[in-house]
Amino acid sequence: MATRPDTLQGSLPLLILTILDRRGPLHGYAITGQIQSLSDALRVEEGSLYPALHRMEEAGWIKARTIVTEHNRRARAYEITSAGRRHLGIEEARWRSITDAVNYVLKHA
Amino acid sequence: MSWLSRLVNVFRSSDVDRVLDEEIAFHIESRAADLVREGLPRDAAEALARRQFGNRLQRREESRDVRLMPWVDALVRDLTLAARSLRHSPMFATVAILTLALGIGVNTAILSIVNSVLLRPLPYSRSAQLMYLNTQLPAYGFSDFWVSVAEYLEFRQFNNSFAEVGAFTTGEANLVMGDRSLRVRSASVDTPLLNALGVQPIQGRLFSRDETGLNSLSGPSLPGGVVLSPAVVVISYELWQSVFGGGPVVGRSVDVDGRRLQIVGIMARGTDLLENHTEIWLPLGFSEEDLRERDNHGLTLIGRLKETVTRASAQSELDALMVSWAERAHITPGSGHPSHVFRPLSAGRDAHILQMTPLMDRILGRANRSIWVLQAAVVLVLLMACANVANLLLGRAETRQHEFALIRALGASRGRLVSRSIVEGLMISLVGGAIGLILARPAIAALLRAFPDSLPRINHVTLDVPVLLWSFVIAAVCGIGIGLVPMLQLHRGETFTLTSGMRGTVRMSRHRLRRSFVIVETAVAVMVVASAALLVRTVDNLTLVDAGFNRSHLATFSITLPPSSFDLLGRVHLYQALLDQIRSKPGVQAATAMTGLPLERTLDASQTEIDNYAATSGPPIPSIDYYQRVMSGYFETMGIPMVRGRGFRSSDAVSDTKVAIVNETLANTYWRGLNPIGQRLRPWIPGNDQNPWFTVIGVARDVKQAGVDQPVGSEIYLLVDQLATGSPTTWVAISPTTMNVVVRATVPWTTLAPMITRVVHDLDSTVPVANLRGMDDVFAESIRRPRLLARLLALFSGLALLLAAIGTYGVLAYSVAERRHEIGVRLALGAKPVRVLRQVMRQGLAPAVTGVGIGLAAVLVLGRLLTSLLFAVQPTDVTTLSMALGSIVGIAALASWFPAWRASRLDPNTILRSE
């Protein structure tokens, strides 16, 4: 049976993949922190982060492993996979083309 | 994540939960820690962190959903829906499930026969390497003949293909234990045979090299040159259990045919030779004299091919051997014992070949065809069952039109509808299959009880794992098939509408589909019913065959007086005493005895000198197929009429002229155009060169010897009473050790049984009464296989007719219900009820007639596959086929009549008002 990625809504996966791609393996809380520190405008609803992470894990874009933090606490860290990088490329291009188009309309309409 | 780990998740959701819990707890803790670092008090920080995360439980559920396989979830939903919808229409569910239970049940039963009889390898190691070897004598019409000792030993020496070749003979023996005596089936085998088969004892040992074969025989010589094999015996596991109670027996002695034999071993469970039902195994030995009699054929061979040798290469070696045999054995072919040798088929009338068949094929014989016919019949029945259930589902799909339309409108994909339908089909077929399996087990047991030994290996039929798996696969295929049928419409691009009715083409296409089901069902029913009718005719014909004697009110049994306990004259005197006593009992009209029981005889094929025979067209050396040695009163008791001359008289017993009676076939074969009365012949007696001449005094009507469906062979009758009065040198070997007694009585054989057992026991308590039964039973047993086939096919055709009736009725009843309005209008406009009746009937019969046509064509094409199973009836027999077709058309008419009658009785007022 082929794995069928469940529909991912919004841009959260794009953000997660970008951050994991640039910053390397991070746990969920760190991902929230990263997004918030980069942009005040984008506020991740924390509860929806984990379902998104698990969906992405299932789609094979990221993989999880258990790490031990500096405070000696077990946590699940997520890491981007090569499939995830391919998907990131596609999503990024799609995002750009849409924003470009919207910008164009905003400017010229 | 792989589908496997997803599936694992379904069953391990607590683990998934734990991981999520940990992850969320970690998130909240980290957030709280950060907030504390920013200056908030601990408890306020934790509360805020939790609030920010949102509803923790709900999130967990959401996350979990992702990880479980959505289709498992959908499946559970579909199963629940299917179960609910079946529960809501119990009638439909019951009919559908029972229909498939019958269809799958009969398939399971027949499949277990196919599996146990045809497919399961023989219970020997690497049994595919085992070959059965026998001989052919084309000029005598013998295609399944034995091998002589010389031929056997030469073959062992000449061939390079076989790792081992052994020989055996089969027979019966008297076993005496204390005051109990019984007849057991025996196999005499040599050590190479045991090695070839690779059989092992579970206790003790088998025979050693010097206990079997050439030079294993020893004195004391009995009169008639009988020599004895070593006094050892191996018993079967089954005999050990039933007679010896499974106790310690190895080393004990047992009385076999009047000799004390030591039990040296117990054979492993289930070990047998072909279908002999062997109970004791004896050592097989040959004397120098056996070796010299090159044309005395009595052995059957089994060989094990070398691992590297294929059947084809062994066959070509065998072919080459036939050509070079005479040269290699230093024999100049000619007539007479010493020059008897194998010659290839190209030698024409002198041909005599050794031939080889895989042991499995030999055991199965022609049973193959019978079993596949049964399998085909049940597959057809299952097809009909599926068509019926599919039809029911189709009807339901129509009434559930609205429901489907709603589901579609609410956004369900077409795939969801199809999968729902398939799940429903699967649920029906798997529940039906399970019930079928439960029914199959007692059905098989009943079949084995009713028809023991009707097919080879049938007593070992079991319902095992491969059969269960196959039945499951069949049920699944049926389920998917019937589930898909209602969806066929969907894929024709039909749209479901939310409007209340369907009009026009939609209905027509549905009708075409349903009608085509009826056509297929009728066609299939024709095939099943026609084959059943042909087999029933076959059994009728076999039952009506004139066997040449009056078989009613005859009881029969056999006794054996072994040479070690009785001398030649003693045997004859005991037979005479036995008959005298039986004849004097109340209810007994006549009694006699003979060596060969009609229908169950094996070929004697003894060379016999015959006066005035010129071997121009018949056999090159005169040979008589059957020697029948009888006691006085034989022809009278059996009711065999004399065609010419006279029967034996009591004066013949003391006459010096040796007299013989021959059958019509013998007279026609050897004395064509001559008067057989007064002709002379000289029967062959082993080990005796000075045999007397016998004069023919009568020609008796032909009596069937080897079975009602077998041609009659030449036969000679000799009077045992007369043989007992001559000088010992002349009757020497003609005094039989085994006799079949027949009793004509006014009472049934069951009433005679206690008297017979008592009389025999009083004469000699070591002699068991064997095979006591009515002559009608002998006939019934001889046609056991066609009877099994006919009964089962009749049963299946009953099912087929029932299913065809239900199918026709269902379609028509549905169509009438649908056309209520139209019929009501027509009746209101003045149409006569009779016309409505006729029209509906026509509508019901049209597809049935088309189906009958197609079925008939199929029967005419495929019928020849049945030819080898039929007797005295052609597969295209007009009477039989018309009866079969008539019954199907009749059933269809009956099934159509009821809905048609109801249609004609509709009350237009009620209908029109209700619209």
Side-chain angles (χ1 to χ4, degrees), chain B residues 705-733:
Chain B
Q705 295 125 339
V708 282
D709 56 344
Q710 299 297 312
V712 172
S714 56
E715 181 163 9
I716 179 171
Y717 296 91
L718 303 173
L719 185 62
V720 173
D721 306 73
Q722 181 182 39
L723 302 170
T725 59
S727 65
T729 49
T730 55
W731 48 250
V732 75

Side-chain angles (χ1 to χ4, degrees), chain B residues 547-549 593-596 598 601 624 626-631 634-635 638 640-642 647-648 658-664 666 681 683 694-705 712-720 722-723 734:
Chain B
F549 66 98
M594 70 285 196
T595 43
R601 306 187 61 180
I624 296 181
Y626 297 96
Y627 273 29
Q628 181 74 299
R629 284 161 281 165
V630 304
M631 304 291 290
Y634 180 74
F635 295 96
M638 291 287 279
I640 302 169
M642 283 303 180
F648 295 125
K658 301 265 179 262
V659 290
I661 290 170
V662 298
N663 72 349
E664 294 170 280
L666 189 147
L681 23 72
F694 286 70
T695 306
V696 174
I697 53 164
V699 177
R701 202 166 149 220
D702 278 350
V703 171
K704 292 279 184 183
Q705 295 125 339
V712 172
S714 56
E715 181 163 9
I716 179 171
Y717 296 91
L718 303 173
L719 185 62
V720 173
Q722 181 182 39
L723 302 170
I734 318 186

Side-chain angles (χ1 to χ4, degrees), chain A:
Chain A
M1 181 186 160
T3 323
R4 180 168 55 92
D6 297 321
T7 319
L8 294 177
Q9 297 153 332
S11 51
L12 187 55
L14 180 59
L15 297 180
I16 295 172
L17 286 175
T18 310
I19 286 165
L20 290 180
D21 189 33
R22 308 265 162 86
R23 301 283 144 87
L26 290 171
H27 50 68
Y29 181 65
I31 296 171
T32 338
Q34 285 289 340
I35 294 174
Q36 275 162 8
S37 70
L38 285 171
S39 160
D40 281 340
L42 295 174
R43 233 192 119 69
V44 179
E45 203 205 318
E46 292 170 12
S48 60
L49 175 72
Y50 291 97
L53 281 173
H54 287 180
R55 268 196 290 269
M56 289 165 69
E57 185 188 357
E58 203 171 318
W61 299 334
I62 57 177
K63 62 176 186 238
R65 67 191 150 89
T66 308
I67 56 159
V68 178
T69 65
E70 60 265 41
H71 303 300
N72 235 350
R73 186 78 171 70
R74 267 153 48 87
R76 263 163 80 82
Y78 295 91
E79 193 178 349
I80 190 162
T81 63
S82 50
R85 281 203 186 83
R86 272 198 304 281
H87 185 74
L88 176 60
I90 297 165
E91 281 296 293
E92 208 179 327
R94 199 165 66 94
W95 179 261
R96 283 195 205 290
S97 71
I98 289 173
T99 46
D100 284 355
V102 171
N103 286 337
Y104 183 86
V105 172
L106 289 179
K107 202 183 279 176
H108 298 286

